[in-house]
Amino acid sequence: MSRAFLLKDIALQAGLSLATVDRVLNDRPGVREHTVRRVKQAIGELEQQRDQIGLSGRKFVLDVVMEAPARFSDAVRQGLEQAMPSLQPAIFRARYHLAETRNVEATVGIIDGLQRRGSNGVFLKTPDVAEVRAAAARLVGAGIPVVTLVTDLPDTGRQAYVGVDNRAAGETAAYLLGEWLGGGPARILVTISSNRFRGEEEREIGFRQALRERYPGLGIVEVSEGHGLDRDTGRLARDALRAHSDIAGVYSIGGGNLAVIEAFAALGRPCRAFVGHDLDADNIALLRAGRISAVLHHDLGQDMRNACLHVMRAHGLLPKSPVAGMANIQIITPFNLPRAGAAP
């Protein structure tokens, strides 16, 4: 295992004692496999954040707790690690607790563990359920700033929400699809990763309301609980297409876009217009191939920088209102994609 980092840096990153990390690094007996994995993960995280180690300045250790498809978690990680050097002389390092799906008990266990272990700030993309809200409120009560990402946890005392106005995003998608589909009559397939996420619910509400007001000839077929994963989302899309012969377009709130497109192709059905979210690698490829119409995107790097500024503000290092509001929505089409290699 790598010895490129000081024992104290690995211990801080892993959230473990110096003695435990020493036992892992020297292959001593009596160490649980979970602990070994945590040390290996910590070393991997340090390798990604090497430029932040050893710098002088006020240091902040952040914890990022997310339930999201890997493609989105990877984009958030990239955005945060691009943002951290811009915040010097404050020095940020991040510990990641990521999963594509996770039960509520496991999420609460991670959050409560951070309260015991300590953290300078916690970023949460988690379901809006009572148990998680209570755990987030306990973090806040312990003096640990909480910032919610993309989907909010209201009534927890969290420091801030960063991301787009989700209702406005849904309304924007309704406008695009309504214009492209000519107002109907037709139905639009709306895919949601899970009804437990407030942000996705807000997008669906905005979309539904805007369609009802502006394009009453367009209906909705909603599917959920595919968790943004290709296999499950594709199965749900195929079932919906078999049940509804008039589905002509898609608003993909929760991801799994390639699987949805392939469901149309497998059944020999045309998809006249398709709007998704986030300029990840999958969506860039689909846009370049002309297989989806538009992506509603926002600058994750700026979001993550704002989230870090909120943590600095909570610790008294910045004035009361230094951070911008919700992120602007960008409409990305095949004709205004960033150049290959350029940051979105």
Side-chain angles (χ1 to χ4, degrees):
M1 205 174 292
S2 172
R3 301 300 179 93
F5 305 105
L6 295 174
L7 196 67
K8 67 178 183 179
D9 288 327
I10 299 172
L12 177 62
Q13 192 72 21
L16 299 169
S17 70
L18 290 170
T20 298
V21 173
D22 182 70
R23 286 200 299 273
V24 172
L25 293 179
N26 289 287
D27 296 321
R28 296 195 178 103
V31 181
R32 293 180 298 175
E33 182 59 32
H34 171 78
T35 303
V36 174
R37 288 197 303 270
R38 184 67 193 122
V39 171
K40 289 180 178 178
Q41 179 181 333
I43 291 170
E45 291 169 354
L46 289 172
E47 288 170 347
Q48 292 292 320
Q49 302 169 50
R50 188 182 295 270
D51 291 344
Q52 295 294 102
I53 299 169
L55 296 175
S56 59
R58 175 72 180 271
K59 291 184 170 61
F60 296 90
V61 176
L62 305 173
D63 288 275
V64 182
V65 182
M66 294 184 63
E67 182 181 337
R71 60 182 174 272
F72 186 72
S73 295
D74 289 346
V76 168
R77 183 196 292 259
Q78 181 181 14
L80 179 55
E81 291 174 1
Q82 286 176 346
M84 288 191 292
S86 73
L87 295 159
Q88 294 177 21
I91 311 303
F92 283 85
R93 280 168 42 194
R95 303 183 294 209
Y96 296 95
H97 315 267
L98 311 176
E100 294 198 311
T101 60
R102 183 190 284 132
N103 63 44
V104 169
E105 292 77 13
T107 298
V108 169
I110 291 169
I111 295 172
D112 285 342
L114 296 176
Q115 181 183 342
R116 293 190 298 271
R117 186 182 307 143
S119 177
N120 297 124
V122 177
F123 298 167
L124 295 178
K125 182 191 178 297
T126 54
D128 178 21
V129 297
E131 298 91 337
V132 173
R133 288 197 303 272
R138 288 193 291 272
L139 273 183
V140 174
I144 297 174
V146 171
V147 177
T148 53
L149 307 177
V150 183
T151 183
D152 204 4
L153 296 174
D155 304 321
T156 59
R158 53 95 172 121
Q159 180 73 14
Y161 161 80
V162 298
V164 297
D165 180 331
N166 285 304
R167 288 205 183 205
E171 291 164 348
T172 302
Y175 173 74
L176 293 173
L177 287 165
E179 293 297 309
W180 285 331
L181 295 176
R187 296 200 213 197
I188 298 169
L189 177 64
V190 177
T191 64
I192 296 175
S193 74
S194 175
N195 287 316
R196 301 178 305 155
F197 292 101
R198 174 174 287 263
E200 295 195 14
E201 180 184 56
E202 290 173 340
R203 291 176 184 179
E204 191 274 340
I205 290 171
F207 184 77
R208 187 181 293 273
Q209 181 174 334
L211 278 190
R212 185 168 57 246
E213 292 175 355
R214 297 179 63 102
Y215 308 101
L218 291 172
I220 291 175
V221 176
E222 179 183 317
V223 298
S224 67
E225 308 314 311
H227 304 289
L229 305 178
D230 285 343
R231 183 189 64 184
D232 295 337
T233 303
R235 173 180 52 77
L236 291 168
R238 287 191 299 275
D239 290 346
L241 288 168
R242 290 188 184 106
H244 302 279
S245 61
D246 58 347
I247 292 176
V250 176
Y251 177 33
S252 172
I253 294 175
N257 296 345
L258 177 58
V260 176
I261 288 292
E262 289 179 343
F264 276 85
L267 297 175
R269 297 275 294 277
C271 180
R272 291 168 50 200
F274 190 119
V275 174
H277 277 272
D278 304 314
L279 203 58
D280 57 35
D282 284 1
N283 283 339
I284 288 173
L286 290 169
L287 280 168
R288 287 194 174 129
R291 302 185 76 185
I292 60 178
S293 310
V295 166
L296 303 182
H297 175 66
H298 62 286
D299 187 342
L300 278 173
Q302 187 59 49
D303 279 355
M304 302 314 296
R305 189 175 193 278
N306 286 343
C308 292
L309 292 174
H310 281 299
V311 170
M312 294 171 68
R313 174 184 170 187
H315 286 279
L317 268 68
L318 289 176
K320 287 294 183 182
S321 300
V323 182
M326 293 184 186
N328 291 325
I329 301 167
Q330 304 172 39
I331 302 172
I332 307 296
T333 73
F335 302 100
N336 66 335
L337 270 167
R339 297 186 308 276

